[in-house]
């Protein structure tokens, strides 16, 4: 190829249609320096024009070219990438290469987890960070929340939660509700699944439902801290049916908020499996359904007593320790916790203690349980102090036993109040000790509110009456008695007993708020 083959071209455009020109086939054209060609000067400019034009066309065809060698190499480089060599920037990894890379990344993440003691077996199929560094950030964040490696192993799926997308939004929401940061560790240990939840879709509707159940906004954090699992319940599932059942048996609708605040676990109880069988069993013992409802209002945690593993065995133990079957409803109504305790060891211990201190027998121990079932929870030292006080007052061992069997509350009263009552009995009333043996409940009455004013009225009238006739009645009944010319001995009630009907009396409106303010410790 020589320059002369182009010398006759006047219009460069003819080059585009000239099939004889080897532009598309020449990859490495040799360009000879113009200084070596013997071409007239007036042709130099024209030759240069043709040469540049030729390569400009080639540039459009091959994506690059130039007159000098360095530009040509650059053009051929672009040409090579266009053709898709193995080192091409436009190349894409194959599916197998991508799969192998993912497997290698996961292997490195698993190796990191095993290195710090986390067992990743349950993570297969879960979307995890690509690098071990990102996984380390998640683990470190969980550590800052107080979770240990053991906690993570208990629920390894928590490692699938992104710190920014999952953990921080959920924890921020809980914090805004009032859940204390100091409780986050235990909160997440009990219900780590909360970190998978959507604040808008999952959490906020549950909180709104709780508020609709008359749980006060300030009590919502308390409910969540006590029972975080509630955040995972369906609104129209167990929660709504359990509440509906309680209202159906007589739990006052206005009390539901207080009941759920103190024992939110009710929201997770299935009616057919837990609540209904429990209620029906108590009814079968002789406690009216409405009385059961009142007990639940006062002690909602009693629904958590296991029926088969705890309640029924405890009832059998009470019968074994000489509690009469007819009085079982009274015993349970007075002290519902007695069917939820690990009872038999306590019964054995208290019976042995009372036998050693006041020589009480099995039958008398049964009477004590019937009148004050709380005796099973009394500590040894206070009980002994009360017995010693009665002995110091001058009562014999036999008298003390009679008094305790007649009024077991003597073992739990405030000793200072007992001393004041006894001093007034001796100094002002000047009655014999046998009167107290006959009516030991004297110590349970208020000195200023009841004993003193009634004694003064009787003394002024010059009446002689028993302590039972004097004290064991309402103020209205006492005023009525003071109009009598004679004392009607048939009206005397020598023994106090629990009245089940008091549980079923209509409630005042003011009672609804009382339960919300009670200390949680009172119900444990």
């Amino acid at each position: 190829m020589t320059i002369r083959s182009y010398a006759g071209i006047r219009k460069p455009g003819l080059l585009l249609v000239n099939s004889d020109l080897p532009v598309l086939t020449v990859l490495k054209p040799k360009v000879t320096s113009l200084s070596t060609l013997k071409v007239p000067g007036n042709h130099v400019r024209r030759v240069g024009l043709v040469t540049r034009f030729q390569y400009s066309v080639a540039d459009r065809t091959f994506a690059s070219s130039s007159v000098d060698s360095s530009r040509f190499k650059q053009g051929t480089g672009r040409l090579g990438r266009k053709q898709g060599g193995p080192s091409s920037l436009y190349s894409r990894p194959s599916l197998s290469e991508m799969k192998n890379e993912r497997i290698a990344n996961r292997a490195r993440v698993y190796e990191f987890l095993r290195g710090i003691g986390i067992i990743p077996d349950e993570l297969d199929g879960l979307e995890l960070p690509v690098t071990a560094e990102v996984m380390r950030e998640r683990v470190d964040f969980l550590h800052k929340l107080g979770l240990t490696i053991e906690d993570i192993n208990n629920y390894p799926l928590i490692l699938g939660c992104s710190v920014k997308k999952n953990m921080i939004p959920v924890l921020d929401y809980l914090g805004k509700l009032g859940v204390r940061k100091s409780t986050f560790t235990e909160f997440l240990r009990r219900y780590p699944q909360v970190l998978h939840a959507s604040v808008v879709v999952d959490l906020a509707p549950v909180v709104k439902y709780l508020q609709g159940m008359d749980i006060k906004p300030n009590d919502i954090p308390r409910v969540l801290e006590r029972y975080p699992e509630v955040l995972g319940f369906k609104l129209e599932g167990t929660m709504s049916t359990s509440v509906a059942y309680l209202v159906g048996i007589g739990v006052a609708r206005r009390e539901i908020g207080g009941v759920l605040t103190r024992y939110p676990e009710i929201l997770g109880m299935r009616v057919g499996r837990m609540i209904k069988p429990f209620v029906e069993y108590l009814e079968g013992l002789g406690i009216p359904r409405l009385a059961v409802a009142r007990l639940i209002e006062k002690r909602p945690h009693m629904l958590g007593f296991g029926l088969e593993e705890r309640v029924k065995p405890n009832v059998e133990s009470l019968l074994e320790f000489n509690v009469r079957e007819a009085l079982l409803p009274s015993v349970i109504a007075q002290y519902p916790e007695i069917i939820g305790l690990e009872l038999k060891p306590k019964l054995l211990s208290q019976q042995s203690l009372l036998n050693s201190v006041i020589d009480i027998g099995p039958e008398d121990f049964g009477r004590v349980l019937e009148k004050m079932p709380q005796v099973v929870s009394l500590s040894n030292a206070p009980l002994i102090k009360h017995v010693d006080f009665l002995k110091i007052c001058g009562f014999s061992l036999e008298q003390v036993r009679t008094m305790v069997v007649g009024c077991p509350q003597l073992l739990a009263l405030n000793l200072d109040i007992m001393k004041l009552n006894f001093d007034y009995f001796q100094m002002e009333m000047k009655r014999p000790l046998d009167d107290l043996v006959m009516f030991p409940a004297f110590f349970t009455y208020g000195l200023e509110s009841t004993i003193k004013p009634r004694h003064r009225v009787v003394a002024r009238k010059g009446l002689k009456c028993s302590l039972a006739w004097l004290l064991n009645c309402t103020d209205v009944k006492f005023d009525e008695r003071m109009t009598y010319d004679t004392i009607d001995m048939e009206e005397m009630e020598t023994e106090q007993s629990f009245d089940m009907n008091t549980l079923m009396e209509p409630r005042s409106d003011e009672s609804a708020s009382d339960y919300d303010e009670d200390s949680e410790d009172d119900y444990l």
Side-chain angles (χ1 to χ4, degrees), residues 121-134:
D121 297 349
E122 296 183 28
L123 301 179
D124 293 342
L126 185 68
E127 184 178 351
L128 296 177
V130 175
T131 65
E133 287 73 17
V134 177

Side-chain angles (χ1 to χ4, degrees), residues 61 100 120 140 154 163 182 189 197 228 357 365 381 395 397 406 476 484 493:
T61 306
N100 292 336
D140 289 344
N154 289 336
V163 173
S182 59
R189 281 175 180 159
V357 173
F365 183 65
F395 298 102
L397 180 62
V476 174
Y484 297 168
E493 299 177 10

Side-chain angles (χ1 to χ4, degrees), residues 323-334 366-367 370-371:
V323 172
R324 290 168 289 186
E325 186 172 357
L327 292 178
L328 279 174
S330 172
V331 170
I332 295 172
Q334 289 181 75
R367 305 295 80 76
E370 290 170 357
K371 294 175 182 177

Side-chain angles (χ1 to χ4, degrees), residues 147-330:
L147 298 182
T148 63
I149 295 297
E150 182 181 359
D151 296 327
I152 297 174
N153 277 327
N154 289 336
Y155 185 72
L157 298 182
I158 198 172
L159 296 174
C161 298
S162 167
V163 173
K164 293 182 178 179
K165 295 180 180 179
N166 301 105
M167 300 185 191
I168 290 179
V170 168
L171 296 176
D172 282 349
Y173 178 70
L174 294 176
K176 291 176 181 177
L177 288 176
V179 176
R180 295 166 295 177
K181 290 185 178 180
S182 59
T183 67
F184 278 176
T185 302
E186 186 60 26
F187 193 106
L188 294 175
R189 281 175 180 159
R190 290 188 57 181
Y191 189 59
Q193 296 89 337
V194 70
L195 294 180
H196 295 286
S198 163
V199 171
V200 176
V201 176
D202 302 316
L203 305 185
V206 174
V207 171
K208 185 177 180 180
Y209 177 85
L210 295 177
Q211 292 173 338
M213 288 290 102
D214 295 333
I215 297 178
K216 299 177 182 178
N218 291 338
D219 288 331
I220 293 293
R222 180 184 179 187
V223 170
L224 297 181
E225 289 172 5
R226 175 160 183 160
Y227 193 51
E229 294 89 342
V230 72
L231 290 172
F233 294 153
K234 294 181 179 179
L235 300 184
E236 300 304 324
T238 304
M239 290 198 294
S240 59
T241 55
S242 59
V243 170
Y245 180 80
L246 292 179
V247 173
I249 66 171
V251 175
R253 183 63 182 82
R254 65 177 180 275
E255 304 289 352
I256 288 294
V259 167
L260 297 180
T261 297
R262 290 199 308 277
Y263 196 67
E265 288 86 347
I266 290 174
L267 294 169
M269 292 181 175
R270 294 188 179 276
V271 171
R273 293 182 183 177
M274 298 186 69
I275 303 178
K276 185 178 180 182
F278 181 87
V279 171
E280 291 180 346
Y281 178 75
L282 294 185
E283 282 188 277
L285 292 177
I287 305 177
R289 175 169 288 203
L290 185 56
V292 175
R294 293 291 181 262
L295 291 175
I296 292 172
E297 290 175 2
K298 292 181 177 180
R299 301 288 189 270
H301 64 278
M302 67 185 294
L303 288 172
F305 299 157
L307 181 59
E308 299 296 332
E309 61 273 18
R310 186 56 58 88
V311 176
K312 291 183 178 180
N314 283 0
V315 169
E316 292 299 322
S317 294
L318 290 172
L319 294 173
E320 181 183 342
F321 280 80
N322 299 297
V323 172
R324 290 168 289 186
E325 186 172 357
L327 292 178
L328 279 174
S330 172

Side-chain angles (χ1 to χ4, degrees), residues 343-355:
L343 185 58
K344 195 163 186 176
K346 291 181 177 293
L347 291 171
L348 289 169
S349 175
Q350 294 301 77
Q351 185 182 50
S352 175
L353 176 64
L354 289 174
N355 179 261

Side-chain angles (χ1 to χ4, degrees), residues 22 70 98 117 128 161 175 189 196 264 276 299 325 383 389 404 422 430 435 452 507:
S70 63
M98 294 174 64
L128 296 177
C161 298
R189 281 175 180 159
H196 295 286
K276 185 178 180 182
R299 301 288 189 270
E325 186 172 357
L383 186 150
F389 166 75
V404 169
F422 185 73
K430 301 184 186 306
D435 283 3
K452 281 186 178 182
R507 290 188 172 278

Side-chain angles (χ1 to χ4, degrees), residues 284-512:
L285 292 177
I287 305 177
R289 175 169 288 203
L290 185 56
V292 175
R294 293 291 181 262
L295 291 175
I296 292 172
E297 290 175 2
K298 292 181 177 180
R299 301 288 189 270
H301 64 278
M302 67 185 294
L303 288 172
F305 299 157
L307 181 59
E308 299 296 332
E309 61 273 18
R310 186 56 58 88
V311 176
K312 291 183 178 180
N314 283 0
V315 169
E316 292 299 322
S317 294
L318 290 172
L319 294 173
E320 181 183 342
F321 280 80
N322 299 297
V323 172
R324 290 168 289 186
E325 186 172 357
L327 292 178
L328 279 174
S330 172
V331 170
I332 295 172
Q334 289 181 75
Y335 188 48
E337 284 79 1
I338 200 167
I339 58 174
L341 300 171
E342 191 174 349
L343 185 58
K344 195 163 186 176
K346 291 181 177 293
L347 291 171
L348 289 169
S349 175
Q350 294 301 77
Q351 185 182 50
S352 175
L353 176 64
L354 289 174
N355 179 261
S356 65
V357 173
I358 56 176
D359 195 25
I360 199 168
E363 291 294 330
D364 284 341
F365 183 65
R367 305 295 80 76
V368 169
L369 287 171
E370 290 170 357
K371 294 175 182 177
M372 195 185 78
Q374 295 88 341
V375 71
V376 298
S377 299
L378 291 182
S379 300
N380 291 2
L383 186 150
I384 294 173
K385 283 183 179 180
H386 285 73
V387 171
D388 290 342
F389 166 75
L390 294 175
K391 291 179 178 179
I392 292 172
C393 291
F395 298 102
S396 67
L397 180 62
E398 183 178 353
Q399 288 176 321
V400 171
R401 181 172 61 250
T402 300
M403 295 172 71
V404 169
V405 173
C407 182
Q409 288 79 7
L410 294 178
L411 300 175
L413 294 174
N414 185 299
L415 278 175
D416 292 332
I417 293 177
M418 291 180 70
K419 290 175 182 178
L420 291 174
N421 284 13
F422 185 73
D423 289 342
Y424 185 81
F425 175 84
Q426 277 194 317
M427 303 299 294
E428 299 296 331
M429 301 179 76
K430 301 184 186 306
R431 287 173 174 260
L433 291 180
D434 285 342
D435 283 3
L436 291 178
V437 176
M438 293 295 295
F439 190 71
F442 168 85
F443 290 98
T444 67
Y445 289 90
L447 180 60
E448 299 296 333
S449 62
T450 305
I451 297 175
K452 281 186 178 182
R454 292 191 182 186
H455 171 68
R456 289 168 182 163
V457 171
V458 170
R460 190 164 55 245
K461 286 181 172 290
L463 297 175
K464 297 294 182 179
C465 64
S466 69
L467 291 177
W469 191 89
L470 175 70
L471 300 173
N472 193 16
C473 63
T474 64
D475 288 338
V476 174
K477 184 64 176 177
F478 177 77
D479 292 338
E480 183 182 335
R481 287 176 177 177
M482 290 302 98
T483 64
Y484 297 168
D485 294 330
T486 60
I487 297 176
D488 187 354
M489 299 301 293
E490 293 182 358
E491 290 186 352
M492 294 176 57
E493 299 177 10
T494 59
E495 184 174 299
Q496 290 180 311
S497 60
F498 178 78
D499 186 2
M500 186 72 69
N501 291 325
T502 59
L503 282 177
M504 297 182 286
E505 292 175 353
R507 290 188 172 278
S508 62
D509 292 339
E510 289 78 9
S511 67

